[in-house]
Amino acid sequence: MSDVSSSELRALMARVPSVDKVMASVEFAPLIGEYGRTQVLHALRSALDAWRISAQSGDAAANPAVSALDAAQLHATVAAALLARNASRLRSVFNLTGTVLHTNLGRALLPDESVRAVMTALTQPANLEFDLATGTRGDRDDLIDDLICELTGAEAATIVNNNAAAVLLTLSALAAKKEVVVSRGELVEIGGAFRIPDIMSRAGAKLREVGTTNRTHLKDYEQAINARTALLMKVHASNYAISGFTKEVGIEAIATLAHARGLAVAVDLGSGTLVDLGEWGLPREPTVRETVAAGADLVTFSGDKLLGGPQAGLIVGRRELIAKIKKHPLKRALRVGKLTLAALEPVLRLYRAPEMLTERLTTLRLLTRPAEDIHGAAQRVLPALQQAIDARYTVAAEPMFSQIGSGALPVDVLPSYGLVVRMADGKRGGRHLLALEKQLREMARPLIGRIADDALRLDLRCLEAADETQLIAQLVAQPKRN
Ligand SMILES: *Cc1c(COP(=O)(O)O)cnc(C)c1O
């Protein structure tokens, strides 16, 4: 890089327009209208500073940005900087991972009814904690607890921010300074940060482990009960399965034992579905209603796993226990906002028409989507993907298996279809596949797939019609790479 002569530099600097003049120009008026003066001024000063630095440090003739400083270029630079700075950080992606309830991608997608309810709740005052019948202060739980009880057969219900909060609150309210009996086979860790032993100590309860990892008997629970026992607890193993020489005690037997000793049983169901998924040929999960009917005094479950609603933690069970939980100070700290309630209510109402659930409840529609349907999508997307990527990759439509996700039924898989990208030369292509994965991840709406067995795999189960159209349009708009 040669230094710029001082006369050249003076000439260059003379071309730098005055900030006031640029801000007052007609070209900049729309930018100021959209982003406000403060941000535009800041972006303009940064652009001019960058230009000055580059003019001083380099050969002006060899630096196109420096030699071509004009009003149009300045405007384009500032506009691009403002656009990038104000782009949303939470972005839509295409979930092509094959995991329907993907925690890192936001779990359940909500139906239109919820979208409309949230929009109204965002923009209009509502009776969140106001009893319209009496004109006095109300309780936000009242908006949905009847509906939850109707769908689960429980006496009472309350709702908090997520299921981890539901478990923490339940243990804090009912077992602080006391013992909670849990099988060693159920001391699970969910998603890295939720561990039953840790939640237990945070709640001030003492964990009383019984049995072994693979086998726990009723007598193990029986022998652990003492004067300090507050609860017998069962935790759904969610994200792992123990097979072989195993034994666990069912809720009914534990409940019979607990109730004979004047104790309560709490069950952390995790996913907590409200319907028998077996009806649609999906793997069976215990429903909340069955768990309540089996004798559980309290059941906790997530709102955004199989239930298909917003992030929330539901606690259902015996009236006096729920009343105690609602009085605990942590309830106030863990309560849900109005947007959650607005989104959840329509989802719960869909369960009143179970015969229409696979059509209306997004999660169930995705989980029950037939493989032939997904195969059709794969054939339509294939040519667009092939032409958007380098010719050294080859794309094929192939059967694959999706997962439910979010810890539900880890060993069961759903027959699906998707696009499989391999190296055209038959080589393994480790870093080339990584490069392609990155290319797809950096698109305007990123494609999130997964690399396995020397191929990039894009499962199209979660790509419904509108998204399919958008994905194809995005791929076709890519500069051709072949
Ligand atoms: C998922 C899960 C949780 C945590 O639920 P969040 O709603 O993610 O807080 C707790 N317990 C079990 C058994 C789970 O499967």
Side-chain angles (χ1 to χ4, degrees):
M1 233 189 260
S2 64
D3 275 355
V4 213
S5 77
S6 57
S7 63
E8 247 182 312
L9 189 60
R10 262 198 308 280
L12 273 173
M13 291 302 165
R15 282 176 40 208
V16 179
S18 101
V19 168
D20 290 343
K21 223 165 127 191
V22 176
M23 288 296 284
S25 67
V26 278
E27 291 80 16
F28 268 62
L31 286 182
I32 294 169
E34 182 164 0
Y35 299 105
R37 285 195 75 79
T38 312
Q39 283 202 86
V40 176
L41 188 60
H42 187 263
L44 174 61
R45 286 199 171 124
S46 302
L48 291 175
D49 285 350
W51 184 86
R52 277 192 201 94
I53 289 166
S54 130
Q56 275 164 0
S57 65
D59 179 351
N63 187 340
V66 168
S67 50
L69 182 76
D70 58 32
Q73 194 221 340
L74 193 58
H75 180 272
T77 305
V78 172
L82 287 166
L83 191 67
R85 184 173 137 81
N86 289 284
S88 175
R89 299 294 295 268
L90 184 65
R91 289 166 61 197
S92 295
V93 302
F94 291 103
N95 174 8
L96 309 180
T97 61
T99 300
V100 176
L101 295 168
H102 198 299
T103 298
N104 305 144
L105 302 181
R107 291 193 185 160
L109 302 176
L110 277 80
D112 290 344
E113 291 86 339
S114 294
V115 174
R116 286 194 294 272
V118 168
M119 217 128 81
T120 308
L122 276 167
T123 51
Q124 294 173 11
N127 60 333
L128 178 63
E129 288 189 344
F130 186 78
D131 186 337
L132 291 172
T134 60
T136 56
R137 191 196 164 110
D139 175 347
R140 62 183 68 201
D141 284 354
D142 292 350
L143 297 169
I144 50 155
D145 61 359
D146 285 358
L147 194 45
I148 298 173
C149 292
E150 175 190 322
L151 297 170
T152 60
E155 288 175 8
T158 185
I159 175 170
V160 287
N161 189 45
N162 53 29
N163 187 36
V167 175
L168 175 69
L169 176 60
T170 300
L171 293 172
S172 303
L174 304 178
K177 303 201 179 89
K178 293 194 168 172
E179 291 184 7
V180 179
V181 185
V182 187
S183 161
R184 289 196 171 87
E186 297 172 9
L187 295 177
V188 294
E189 169 177 307
I190 314 245
F194 178 88
R195 293 170 138 196
I196 291 293
D198 297 347
I199 292 271
M200 198 76 76
S201 64
R202 280 286 153 199
K206 187 168 182 328
L207 171 64
R208 178 79 186 228
E209 302 173 24
V210 296
T212 60
T213 304
N214 58 328
R215 288 172 72 86
T216 303
H217 305 273
L218 188 61
K219 67 171 192 300
D220 295 324
Y221 288 93
E222 202 166 358
Q223 285 162 6
I225 294 174
N226 62 54
R228 295 177 304 279
T229 308
L231 289 172
L232 305 191
M233 186 175 183
K234 263 192 88 68
V235 182
H236 192 285
S238 293
N239 51 8
Y240 87 121
I242 304 184
S243 59
F245 186 56
T246 64
K247 164 125 179 83
E248 70 166 308
V249 187
I251 293 162
E252 261 170 69
I254 294 178
T256 305
L257 169 66
H259 297 160
R261 305 292 185 92
L263 296 169
V265 176
V267 179
D268 177 16
L269 261 192
S271 232
T273 174
L274 299 177
V275 284
D276 178 0
L277 299 176
E279 295 243 348
W280 296 285
L282 292 168
R284 265 196 58 84
E285 273 279 281
T287 67
V288 180
R289 182 182 286 280
E290 286 163 3
T291 310
V292 169
D297 300 288
L298 286 167
V299 185
T300 52
F301 54 102
S302 288
D304 58 352
K305 293 186 180 173
L306 282 172
L307 193 150
Q311 180 189 304
L314 291 95
I315 312 175
V316 305
R318 290 227 318 270
R319 191 169 288 112
E320 68 275 18
L321 297 178
I322 295 289
K324 213 167 160 188
I325 286 170
K326 287 178 66 138
K327 278 200 215 97
H328 192 277
L330 264 184
K331 168 65 166 77
R332 172 64 180 77
L334 301 173
R335 75 181 185 190
V336 291
K338 63 180 176 178
L339 303 185
T340 301
L341 290 164
L344 182 60
E345 189 187 349
V347 169
L348 292 173
R349 228 183 285 113
L350 291 181
Y351 282 92
R352 284 178 168 163
E355 56 286 335
M356 289 188 269
L357 270 180
T358 54
E359 189 191 320
R360 294 187 181 175
L361 187 69
T362 315
T363 298
L364 205 54
R365 189 172 65 239
L366 293 174
L367 289 175
T368 57
R369 189 172 175 197
E372 313 86 76
D373 193 27
I374 309 170
H375 186 197
Q379 284 172 320
R380 290 187 295 273
V381 178
L382 192 154
L385 179 63
Q386 182 70 76
Q387 75 97 56
I389 62 180
D390 195 285
R392 65 192 157 162
Y393 302 109
T394 163
V395 187
E398 291 181 15
M400 51 181 68
F401 289 99
S402 321
Q403 296 198 8
I404 294 176
S406 273
L409 317 148
V411 289
D412 295 296
V413 283
L414 316 167
S416 184
Y417 240 92
L419 297 175
V420 180
V421 188
R422 297 187 180 85
M423 302 311 294
D425 61 8
K427 297 214 173 110
R428 302 186 59 186
R431 72 192 164 85
H432 297 299
L433 287 178
L434 285 172
L436 178 64
E437 185 269 340
K438 185 165 182 282
Q439 183 201 336
L440 299 182
R441 184 161 38 79
E442 288 177 347
M443 287 188 172
R445 180 170 170 188
L447 279 66
I448 312 294
R450 70 200 155 91
I451 293 177
D453 305 326
D454 297 314
L456 175 66
R457 291 164 192 277
L458 308 174
D459 185 321
L460 302 192
R461 171 176 298 278
C462 297
L463 192 74
E464 293 200 285
D467 278 352
E468 181 189 316
T469 307
Q470 199 190 10
L471 175 59
I472 291 174
Q474 172 171 289
L475 290 171
V476 169
Q478 290 292 300
K480 214 164 153 62
R481 295 196 166 221
N482 289 8

